[in-house]
PDB file of all heavy atoms in Angstrom:
ATOM      1  N   GLU V 243     -33.630 -64.740  79.203  1.00  0.00           N
ATOM      2  CA  GLU V 243     -33.830 -64.589  80.637  1.00  0.00           C
ATOM      3  C   GLU V 243     -32.916 -65.561  81.346  1.00  0.00           C
ATOM      4  O   GLU V 243     -32.898 -66.756  81.024  1.00  0.00           O
ATOM      5  CB  GLU V 243     -35.289 -64.900  80.975  1.00  0.00           C
ATOM      6  CG  GLU V 243     -35.895 -63.826  81.845  1.00  0.00           C
ATOM      7  CD  GLU V 243     -37.333 -64.115  82.150  1.00  0.00           C
ATOM      8  OE1 GLU V 243     -38.166 -63.953  81.231  1.00  0.00           O
ATOM      9  OE2 GLU V 243     -37.604 -64.518  83.279  1.00  0.00           O
ATOM     10  N   ALA V 244     -32.156 -65.062  82.311  1.00  0.00           N
ATOM     11  CA  ALA V 244     -31.265 -65.931  83.082  1.00  0.00           C
ATOM     12  C   ALA V 244     -31.340 -65.500  84.528  1.00  0.00           C
ATOM     13  O   ALA V 244     -31.047 -64.352  84.856  1.00  0.00           O
ATOM     14  CB  ALA V 244     -29.836 -65.805  82.562  1.00  0.00           C
ATOM     15  N   ASN V 245     -31.739 -66.434  85.398  1.00  0.00           N
ATOM     16  CA  ASN V 245     -31.875 -66.123  86.823  1.00  0.00           C
ATOM     17  C   ASN V 245     -32.752 -64.902  87.031  1.00  0.00           C
ATOM     18  O   ASN V 245     -32.407 -64.012  87.798  1.00  0.00           O
ATOM     19  CB  ASN V 245     -30.498 -65.862  87.451  1.00  0.00           C
ATOM     20  CG  ASN V 245     -29.553 -67.019  87.224  1.00  0.00           C
ATOM     21  OD1 ASN V 245     -29.979 -68.171  87.240  1.00  0.00           O
ATOM     22  ND2 ASN V 245     -28.293 -66.708  86.991  1.00  0.00           N
ATOM     23  N   GLY V 246     -33.866 -64.861  86.331  1.00  0.00           N
ATOM     24  CA  GLY V 246     -34.821 -63.788  86.570  1.00  0.00           C
ATOM     25  C   GLY V 246     -34.443 -62.446  85.975  1.00  0.00           C
ATOM     26  O   GLY V 246     -35.191 -61.484  86.119  1.00  0.00           O
ATOM     27  N   GLU V 247     -33.267 -62.334  85.334  1.00  0.00           N
ATOM     28  CA  GLU V 247     -33.005 -61.051  84.712  1.00  0.00           C
ATOM     29  C   GLU V 247     -32.660 -61.218  83.227  1.00  0.00           C
ATOM     30  O   GLU V 247     -32.345 -62.303  82.759  1.00  0.00           O
ATOM     31  CB  GLU V 247     -31.939 -60.265  85.461  1.00  0.00           C
ATOM     32  CG  GLU V 247     -30.619 -60.885  85.627  1.00  0.00           C
ATOM     33  CD  GLU V 247     -29.577 -59.840  86.077  1.00  0.00           C
ATOM     34  OE1 GLU V 247     -29.963 -58.794  86.659  1.00  0.00           O
ATOM     35  OE2 GLU V 247     -28.397 -60.082  85.854  1.00  0.00           O
ATOM     36  N   ILE V 248     -32.730 -60.102  82.535  1.00  0.00           N
ATOM     37  CA  ILE V 248     -32.516 -60.123  81.091  1.00  0.00           C
ATOM     38  C   ILE V 248     -31.025 -60.020  80.802  1.00  0.00           C
ATOM     39  O   ILE V 248     -30.338 -59.150  81.322  1.00  0.00           O
ATOM     40  CB  ILE V 248     -33.242 -58.939  80.411  1.00  0.00           C
ATOM     41  CG1 ILE V 248     -34.739 -59.032  80.652  1.00  0.00           C
ATOM     42  CG2 ILE V 248     -32.934 -58.891  78.937  1.00  0.00           C
ATOM     43  CD1 ILE V 248     -35.424 -60.126  79.868  1.00  0.00           C
ATOM     44  N   VAL V 249     -30.527 -60.920  79.983  1.00  0.00           N
ATOM     45  CA  VAL V 249     -29.138 -60.830  79.550  1.00  0.00           C
ATOM     46  C   VAL V 249     -29.097 -60.939  78.024  1.00  0.00           C
ATOM     47  O   VAL V 249     -30.062 -61.356  77.398  1.00  0.00           O
ATOM     48  CB  VAL V 249     -28.266 -61.952  80.151  1.00  0.00           C
ATOM     49  CG1 VAL V 249     -28.237 -61.869  81.648  1.00  0.00           C
ATOM     50  CG2 VAL V 249     -28.753 -63.298  79.702  1.00  0.00           C
ATOM     51  N   TYR V 250     -27.972 -60.582  77.445  1.00  0.00           N
ATOM     52  CA  TYR V 250     -27.781 -60.740  76.016  1.00  0.00           C
ATOM     53  C   TYR V 250     -27.141 -62.097  75.772  1.00  0.00           C
ATOM     54  O   TYR V 250     -26.096 -62.406  76.333  1.00  0.00           O
ATOM     55  CB  TYR V 250     -26.887 -59.623  75.478  1.00  0.00           C
ATOM     56  CG  TYR V 250     -26.721 -59.641  73.978  1.00  0.00           C
ATOM     57  CD1 TYR V 250     -27.773 -59.284  73.143  1.00  0.00           C
ATOM     58  CD2 TYR V 250     -25.524 -60.015  73.390  1.00  0.00           C
ATOM     59  CE1 TYR V 250     -27.637 -59.289  71.769  1.00  0.00           C
ATOM     60  CE2 TYR V 250     -25.368 -60.021  72.020  1.00  0.00           C
ATOM     61  CZ  TYR V 250     -26.424 -59.658  71.214  1.00  0.00           C
ATOM     62  OH  TYR V 250     -26.288 -59.663  69.854  1.00  0.00           O
ATOM     63  N   GLY V 251     -27.787 -62.899  74.957  1.00  0.00           N
ATOM     64  CA  GLY V 251     -27.316 -64.273  74.734  1.00  0.00           C
ATOM     65  C   GLY V 251     -25.856 -64.373  74.365  1.00  0.00           C
ATOM     66  O   GLY V 251     -25.155 -65.287  74.780  1.00  0.00           O
ATOM     67  N   GLY V 252     -25.384 -63.402  73.602  1.00  0.00           N
ATOM     68  CA  GLY V 252     -24.004 -63.471  73.128  1.00  0.00           C
ATOM     69  C   GLY V 252     -22.968 -63.225  74.204  1.00  0.00           C
ATOM     70  O   GLY V 252     -21.783 -63.423  73.979  1.00  0.00           O
ATOM     71  N   LEU V 253     -23.421 -62.804  75.398  1.00  0.00           N
ATOM     72  CA  LEU V 253     -22.465 -62.556  76.477  1.00  0.00           C
ATOM     73  C   LEU V 253     -22.428 -63.706  77.473  1.00  0.00           C
ATOM     74  O   LEU V 253     -21.757 -63.624  78.494  1.00  0.00           O
ATOM     75  CB  LEU V 253     -22.812 -61.253  77.205  1.00  0.00           C
ATOM     76  CG  LEU V 253     -22.335 -59.990  76.508  1.00  0.00           C
ATOM     77  CD1 LEU V 253     -22.887 -58.752  77.198  1.00  0.00           C
ATOM     78  CD2 LEU V 253     -20.817 -59.935  76.488  1.00  0.00           C
ATOM     79  N   LYS V 254     -23.166 -64.763  77.187  1.00  0.00           N
ATOM     80  CA  LYS V 254     -23.169 -65.891  78.116  1.00  0.00           C
ATOM     81  C   LYS V 254     -21.852 -66.638  78.034  1.00  0.00           C
ATOM     82  O   LYS V 254     -21.279 -66.799  76.959  1.00  0.00           O
ATOM     83  CB  LYS V 254     -24.318 -66.854  77.758  1.00  0.00           C
ATOM     84  CG  LYS V 254     -25.681 -66.389  78.200  1.00  0.00           C
ATOM     85  CD  LYS V 254     -26.702 -67.463  77.825  1.00  0.00           C
ATOM     86  CE  LYS V 254     -27.958 -67.326  78.639  1.00  0.00           C
ATOM     87  NZ  LYS V 254     -28.915 -68.384  78.342  1.00  0.00           N
ATOM     88  N   GLU V 255     -21.401 -67.109  79.179  1.00  0.00           N
ATOM     89  CA  GLU V 255     -20.128 -67.829  79.266  1.00  0.00           C
ATOM     90  C   GLU V 255     -20.090 -69.024  78.333  1.00  0.00           C
ATOM     91  O   GLU V 255     -19.080 -69.321  77.704  1.00  0.00           O
ATOM     92  CB  GLU V 255     -19.935 -68.340  80.699  1.00  0.00           C
ATOM     93  CG  GLU V 255     -19.776 -67.257  81.747  1.00  0.00           C
ATOM     94  CD  GLU V 255     -18.333 -66.779  81.811  1.00  0.00           C
ATOM     95  OE1 GLU V 255     -17.434 -67.635  81.711  1.00  0.00           O
ATOM     96  OE2 GLU V 255     -18.110 -65.569  81.916  1.00  0.00           O
ATOM     97  N   GLU V 256     -21.242 -69.718  78.255  1.00  0.00           N
ATOM     98  CA  GLU V 256     -21.278 -70.964  77.489  1.00  0.00           C
ATOM     99  C   GLU V 256     -20.938 -70.768  76.019  1.00  0.00           C
ATOM    100  O   GLU V 256     -20.626 -71.742  75.323  1.00  0.00           O
ATOM    101  CB  GLU V 256     -22.670 -71.624  77.580  1.00  0.00           C
ATOM    102  CG  GLU V 256     -23.069 -72.062  78.969  1.00  0.00           C
ATOM    103  CD  GLU V 256     -23.777 -70.955  79.740  1.00  0.00           C
ATOM    104  OE1 GLU V 256     -23.410 -69.773  79.554  1.00  0.00           O
ATOM    105  OE2 GLU V 256     -24.679 -71.262  80.515  1.00  0.00           O
ATOM    106  N   CYS V 257     -21.024 -69.527  75.539  1.00  0.00           N
ATOM    107  CA  CYS V 257     -20.677 -69.280  74.131  1.00  0.00           C
ATOM    108  C   CYS V 257     -19.269 -69.786  73.829  1.00  0.00           C
ATOM    109  O   CYS V 257     -18.994 -70.294  72.740  1.00  0.00           O
ATOM    110  CB  CYS V 257     -20.748 -67.787  73.809  1.00  0.00           C
ATOM    111  SG  CYS V 257     -22.413 -67.135  73.715  1.00  0.00           S
ATOM    112  N   GLU V 258     -18.372 -69.630  74.806  1.00  0.00           N
ATOM    113  CA  GLU V 258     -16.988 -70.044  74.556  1.00  0.00           C
ATOM    114  C   GLU V 258     -16.904 -71.557  74.364  1.00  0.00           C
ATOM    115  O   GLU V 258     -16.123 -72.048  73.544  1.00  0.00           O
ATOM    116  CB  GLU V 258     -16.093 -69.591  75.714  1.00  0.00           C
ATOM    117  CG  GLU V 258     -15.930 -68.075  75.739  1.00  0.00           C
ATOM    118  CD  GLU V 258     -14.858 -67.589  76.697  1.00  0.00           C
ATOM    119  OE1 GLU V 258     -14.397 -68.413  77.527  1.00  0.00           O
ATOM    120  OE2 GLU V 258     -14.488 -66.416  76.610  1.00  0.00           O
ATOM    121  N   THR V 259     -17.733 -72.269  75.115  1.00  0.00           N
ATOM    122  CA  THR V 259     -17.735 -73.723  74.946  1.00  0.00           C
ATOM    123  C   THR V 259     -18.148 -74.080  73.522  1.00  0.00           C
ATOM    124  O   THR V 259     -17.518 -74.896  72.858  1.00  0.00           O
ATOM    125  CB  THR V 259     -18.739 -74.370  75.921  1.00  0.00           C
ATOM    126  OG1 THR V 259     -18.644 -73.715  77.192  1.00  0.00           O
ATOM    127  CG2 THR V 259     -18.481 -75.843  76.063  1.00  0.00           C
ATOM    128  N   VAL V 260     -19.226 -73.464  73.089  1.00  0.00           N
ATOM    129  CA  VAL V 260     -19.731 -73.758  71.744  1.00  0.00           C
ATOM    130  C   VAL V 260     -18.705 -73.403  70.683  1.00  0.00           C
ATOM    131  O   VAL V 260     -18.452 -74.152  69.737  1.00  0.00           O
ATOM    132  CB  VAL V 260     -21.048 -72.990  71.488  1.00  0.00           C
ATOM    133  CG1 VAL V 260     -21.508 -73.202  70.071  1.00  0.00           C
ATOM    134  CG2 VAL V 260     -22.126 -73.418  72.460  1.00  0.00           C
TER     135      VAL V 260
END
Side-chain angles (χ1 to χ4, degrees):
Chain V
E243 229 179 287
N245 305 324
E247 58 166 23
I248 299 287
V249 298
Y250 185 71
L253 279 172
K254 283 182 160 183
E255 295 276 320
E256 296 89 325
C257 287
E258 291 191 347
T259 319
V260 175

